[in-house]
Amino acid sequence: MNDKPDRKQEILQAAIACFNELGIEATSIDAIRTRSGASVGSIYHHFGNKEGIVAYLFLNGLDDYWQRLLAALQQAADAEAGVRAMVSCYVEWVLASQDLARFIFQARTLVSRSAQGEQLLQKNKENLRAALGYFKPWLERGELRQLPPELYWALIVGPAQEYCRAWLSGRVKADPRSLIVPLADAAWRAVGG
Amino acid sequence: MNDKPDRKQEILQAAIACFNELGIEATSIDAIRTRSGASVGSIYHHFGNKEGIVAYLFLNGLDDYWQRLLAALQQAADAEAGVRAMVSCYVEWVLASQDLARFIFQARTLVSRSAQGEQLLQKNKENLRAALGYFKPWLERGELRQLPPELYWALIVGPAQEYCRAWLSGRVKADPRSLIVPLADAAWRAVGG
DNA sequence: TAATATTCTAGAATAAAATTCTAGTGCAAG
DNA sequence: CTTGCACTAGAATTTTATTCTAGAATATTA
């Protein structure tokens, strides 16, 4: 049994818990220190500063999501399956990683201004391009409606995102899982050919 | 000519400029003090603390938006007009108040945890109820598709919101004004009967 | 209008938080 | 061994938020 604590991981877990309970801005390094049992020096050694912790959690969290999404898209046989996969994949990810998702909604702006902001922009662009790559054949086959290209993402995932955001913050109650089908139906009506 | 400076207003303007340029967390009271020309004491007199400034800007900004939205809904003759009004009203508001909108996207969580969080929740509930009030007759007349009630908002405004958010942060370029029609079309396909 | 209260402004003083610095500890490669 | 390096600890410093005290401006009222 390996009981050597992994400090970096402990710090990350303490941080995300604090961020969600208190909010990012209101979380002090000292709160993270206390909760994780690490020392100040240790925290700064691993992450540089508070922003560094936020950026690390954010970028790795997003990676996890995009990995799932792209895998799902790859399996989709046609446009409708692809669109439905994007919606359900999004909702399932939020459900499976609630704390992370809640955190990510709050951290976006912070990260985009941080030292890692450029990296985020880069990843974002790559991921989106990869996703749109799957769309091209569907578009050519006329399975998808012709729309301004920058709109597809917002039309397909926007409603699920908006709903999940509200759900994670407690503003609405209905379990997102029960809404996957209506959300996917609506997304398909919005962009389907 | 009345050249007496309104300190409160000067502080608010300096604050929103700083928040947008530096981010809320990275904006120090001192930055606001310098930019507004007010003193620390004055700032704390008017707003209590930094959170107070954020909450004030946020709540008043939202009020402005909801006022427009409810006015637009009131004029809508049928469901389709109502849905289209919700979309265009949203986009027009973002375009007309870019700095405020950008700020509001970032401040939501902060405000909901602040002393004014309860007030926000309250207003939110009222506004949503008022908006859904307009929907009732349309639903009864079958002009709107039957859907889980908590979904209408996300389906209609979600995509516009997601797009505007990306546009305000520079991730996408196409002028939102040119997308009002496709966004409204899609919203109507999503919820129209 | 003078007296009095209230709101507002200023900036120094204090408290709280972030970050840096110095000094280790323990482990792995040679 | 012993040298180098990643890691940890916590004190010291710097930066930032907030509080406090006092005085100026403005409104209120007798």
Side-chain angles (χ1 to χ4, degrees), chain B residues 125-153:
Chain B
K125 199 191 286 182
E126 278 174 36
N127 286 328
L128 251 174
R129 197 147 53 86
L132 286 189
Y134 291 106
F135 276 57
K136 205 184 246 179
W138 300 334
L139 259 169
E140 285 165 357
R141 278 188 252 137
E143 296 177 25
L144 280 174
R145 191 181 290 263
Q146 281 280 162
L147 290 165
E150 288 184 308
L151 226 45
Y152 289 106
W153 178 264

Side-chain angles (χ1 to χ4, degrees), chain A residues 119-148:
Chain A
Q119 192 184 342
L120 167 58
L121 222 63
Q122 195 53 39
K123 280 193 176 184
N124 233 49
K125 199 192 285 185
E126 278 175 35
N127 286 329
L128 250 174
R129 197 148 54 84
L132 286 188
Y134 291 106
F135 275 57
K136 204 185 251 182
W138 299 334
L139 259 168
E140 286 164 357
R141 277 189 251 137
E143 295 177 25
L144 279 175
R145 191 181 290 264
Q146 282 281 163
L147 290 165

Side-chain angles (χ1 to χ4, degrees), chain B residues 7 38-42 45-46:
Chain B
R7 266 293 138 82
S39 67
V40 178
S42 199
H45 168 71
H46 285 296

Side-chain angles (χ1 to χ4, degrees), chain B residues 45-62:
Chain B
H45 168 71
H46 285 296
F47 300 104
N49 56 23
K50 197 168 131 182
E51 237 179 44
I53 307 177
V54 173
Y56 187 99
L57 283 167
F58 185 93
L59 291 170
N60 284 87
L62 262 201

